[in-house]
Amino acid sequence: MQTECSQDSLDFASLGGRKVTAAFDGGSITSNAGALLLRETDRRTGLSRQVSACFKDGRRQDRVEHSVETLVAQRIHGIALGYEDLNDHDDLRHDPVLGLVSGKAEARRSDCAVLAGKSTLNRLEHAPRADDDRYRKLSVDEEAMKQLFVSVFLKAHATSPKRIVLDLDATDDPIHGEQEGRFFHGYYKCYCYLPLYVFCGRELLLAKLRPANIDASAGAKEEIAFIVAHIRERWPNVDIWLRADSGFCREELMAWCEDNGVHYVFGLARNARLEASIADELTEAEVKAKASGNPERLFKELRYQTHKSWSRERRVVAKAEHLPKGANPRFIVTSLTSEAVEAKELYEKIYCARGEMENRIKECQLDLFADRTSTASLRANQLRLWFSSLAYVLMTALRRMALQGTELAQATAGTIRLKLLKLGALVTRSVRRIKVAIASACPSKGVFATAYRRLCPEM
């Protein structure tokens, strides 16, 4: 239980004979002044506007204080600023900058706060499909929401790239209640969801919440087909590669790629047949490692087909490696020919680069709270995952549009929030102006000024 401090003055240890006191009487002060940059990023990308278009609002508009676009912006910006719980918004609805960022400078009615509280936002997060519940007035178009991520990605690039690499991965989202879709996962050793993510570099194209009683690749073919179709509609000549670990090395997905002109590089789980095929290379690597005292690796090209599950023979690249702890054989399967990419480059520069995607997933789930799937229904938890994912999209846009060449160009969302968004400021209002006076000692004022010039060149 949180205890509120009711003292008018808080006395601390004195310094140099001077009494040190504090009080919550500073007036209109915010700790979120850097969110002004988020507002400009949102304004230029139109993210909140596009997300709100995915909702249907059946409320009587003459009685509505908070529009869907305001609610969406409040939720997404709140997550980006580090407020993962809806309970936080009972206080945040009075924050002078968050109101400005969410598109409202003041409430329409005198008896209302500028922004929505937890109850109103909770109704947004529990928005069902349009045909589900006649008594709930907010509903979300799930297909439109899924398409939005691809659309934002495409609009972020003025011209078609020659090639894009789509990274797929599944991860665990531990749950601690009796949520719908709750299952125990043997590999992760916990009750969890098993969300599927698709990234292109830092850009997020898919965040799909799934129960954990399925294969990691379940539904991946359909999702990739959806994404590829929308990308090729805009960029018909782009070369598309898929990259994933052995959990996605399935006949259905590989055959679809081969039939639709999409290349793939997937991890391949090792087995006795595969290891026997590189026995000589493993021995040679061991001899070299013992002689040099360092890890040694060799690569070998194979043509391989499983006894039952694969419909055809495919190219496999084997890594025969010997480490201080012993042999470390690894395998990948690909549709790329040896003329297009030779074995060593394919493994070391292309396949191993997929590890960067794991950092992006951590950024979503840890920095932006995509693992806060604690509500009862799977659909509501999917919407929560989307809101966190949209906060990631917003932060990625800020990084891409405003922070290139600065010390925060490669920073995670958590670092950007700490150094650039969580800034203390005094907010004053007049008839003609809202002034946000940021702390003079702000250590990131140079980066902030650079970001401002890039986001607001017309100002």
Side-chain angles (χ1 to χ4, degrees):
M1 180 178 178
Q2 184 178 357
T3 302
E4 294 187 4
C5 182
S6 58
Q7 292 180 246
D8 293 332
S9 179
L10 309 176
D11 297 330
F12 293 89
S14 59
L15 176 64
R18 297 180 180 179
K19 187 177 181 181
V20 178
T21 64
F24 291 95
D25 59 358
S28 189
I29 294 177
T30 182
S31 60
N32 302 310
L36 291 170
L37 297 177
L38 288 181
R39 175 178 182 256
E40 293 304 318
T41 304
D42 196 345
R43 186 177 66 87
R44 291 189 59 179
T45 60
L47 183 63
S48 293
R49 174 179 50 79
Q50 293 178 73
V51 175
S52 65
C54 297
F55 287 82
K56 180 180 178 182
D57 188 357
R59 300 173 297 174
R60 284 187 54 176
Q61 295 305 304
D62 60 324
R63 297 185 178 182
V64 170
E65 172 64 33
H66 309 292
S67 69
V68 171
E69 185 172 346
T70 299
L71 295 175
V72 163
Q74 181 181 347
R75 187 65 173 123
I76 294 173
H77 288 248
I79 292 171
L81 290 167
Y83 302 107
E84 73 270 30
D85 280 330
L86 292 184
N87 289 344
D88 297 329
H89 288 267
D90 271 1
D91 291 323
L92 288 173
R93 58 184 174 170
H94 302 288
D95 187 285
V97 165
L98 191 58
L100 177 64
V101 166
S102 301
K104 287 185 70 176
E106 55 189 21
R108 298 173 189 170
R109 300 200 306 262
S110 59
D111 59 339
C112 290
V114 174
L115 294 177
K118 62 183 179 182
S119 299
T120 304
L121 289 170
N122 188 57
R123 286 192 287 274
L124 177 73
E125 288 199 345
H126 284 78
R129 289 182 301 190
D131 58 349
D132 266 11
D133 191 337
R134 62 181 293 189
Y135 299 106
R136 293 187 182 182
K137 301 302 183 181
L138 294 172
S139 59
V140 61
D141 184 336
E142 295 174 345
E143 285 298 305
M145 186 71 83
K146 188 170 71 170
Q147 184 176 338
L148 173 66
F149 286 90
V150 186
S151 176
V152 170
F153 164 72
L154 293 171
K155 290 177 181 177
H157 300 81
T159 58
S160 170
K162 181 179 179 181
R163 175 186 302 137
I164 60 173
V165 179
L166 303 182
D167 286 302
L168 297 79
D169 205 358
T171 191
D172 63 315
D173 175 4
I175 55 180
H176 309 285
E178 298 295 329
Q179 290 97 314
E180 179 186 5
R182 173 182 183 268
F183 290 98
F184 187 84
H185 197 286
Y187 178 80
Y188 294 111
K189 296 181 174 57
C190 66
Y191 286 93
C192 62
Y193 289 126
L194 194 68
L196 172 65
Y197 289 95
V198 177
F199 285 85
C200 182
R202 282 187 176 270
E203 308 285 341
L204 177 59
L205 278 75
L206 177 76
K208 181 177 181 180
L209 196 64
R210 306 176 299 172
N213 63 334
I214 58 173
D215 183 72
S217 68
K221 185 195 78 171
E222 291 75 17
E223 300 299 341
I224 288 299
F226 178 88
I227 292 171
V228 168
H230 282 85
I231 290 175
R232 283 183 169 163
E233 184 178 351
R234 176 78 174 271
W235 299 335
N237 299 317
V238 67
D239 190 16
I240 301 175
W241 293 6
L242 298 190
R243 182 168 56 191
D245 63 19
S246 60
F248 293 85
C249 182
R250 302 291 184 266
E251 169 64 24
E252 181 183 40
L253 184 55
M254 290 188 292
W256 182 90
C257 289
E258 291 158 351
D259 293 342
N260 289 273
V262 176
H263 285 298
Y264 59 83
V265 183
F266 294 154
L268 176 60
R270 60 190 183 186
N271 57 45
R273 277 180 63 202
L274 286 168
E275 291 186 19
S277 68
I278 59 169
D280 293 342
E281 287 75 16
L282 284 170
T283 300
E284 183 180 350
E286 182 179 6
V287 171
K288 288 184 175 180
K290 289 180 178 178
S292 67
N294 299 313
E296 296 287 347
R297 60 172 58 172
L298 302 169
F299 292 92
K300 183 178 181 179
E301 295 268 359
L302 305 172
R303 298 300 300 179
Y304 178 77
Q305 182 176 0
T306 62
H307 289 312
K308 296 181 180 180
S309 60
W310 288 11
S311 63
R312 67 202 76 176
E313 188 179 72
R314 294 181 168 101
R315 179 192 179 196
V316 170
V317 169
K319 181 189 72 169
E321 183 176 49
H322 194 86
L323 303 174
K325 294 182 179 180
N328 181 42
R330 291 289 186 270
F331 304 88
I332 59 175
V333 59
T334 183
S335 60
L336 294 163
T337 64
S338 55
E339 290 77 17
V341 189
E342 61 92 21
K344 187 174 188 293
E345 180 184 1
L346 185 70
Y347 188 91
E348 293 183 339
K349 294 187 177 180
I350 297 176
Y351 178 71
C352 288
R354 65 163 297 278
E356 182 62 20
M357 181 193 181
E358 296 179 6
N359 294 329
R360 306 286 74 77
I361 292 177
K362 291 176 182 176
E363 200 173 346
C364 280
Q365 298 211 168
L366 301 181
D367 286 354
L368 296 166
F369 321 110
D371 60 346
R372 293 303 295 265
T373 47
S374 56
T375 193
S377 71
L378 184 63
R379 187 174 301 142
N381 283 322
Q382 172 66 79
L383 194 49
R384 284 192 171 188
L385 173 59
W386 276 331
F387 280 139
S388 290
S389 300
L390 290 163
Y392 173 87
V393 169
L394 184 63
M395 294 289 270
T396 301
L398 173 63
R399 187 190 295 113
R400 181 184 67 250
M401 298 168 63
L403 301 180
Q404 295 303 309
T406 73
E407 64 190 64
L408 298 179
Q410 300 300 321
T412 64
T415 300
I416 293 172
R417 175 196 299 141
L418 180 65
K419 292 192 173 184
L420 200 62
L421 304 183
K422 302 298 291 183
L423 306 180
L426 175 66
V427 182
T428 56
R429 298 168 181 267
S430 67
V431 174
R432 297 180 179 274
R433 186 172 68 165
I434 300 174
K435 181 179 179 182
V436 182
I438 303 173
S440 301
C442 173
S444 300
K445 63 176 68 175
V447 179
F448 191 98
T450 299
Y452 164 76
R453 287 192 298 270
R454 292 174 177 174
L455 291 171
C456 308
E458 73 281 4
M459 297 300 182

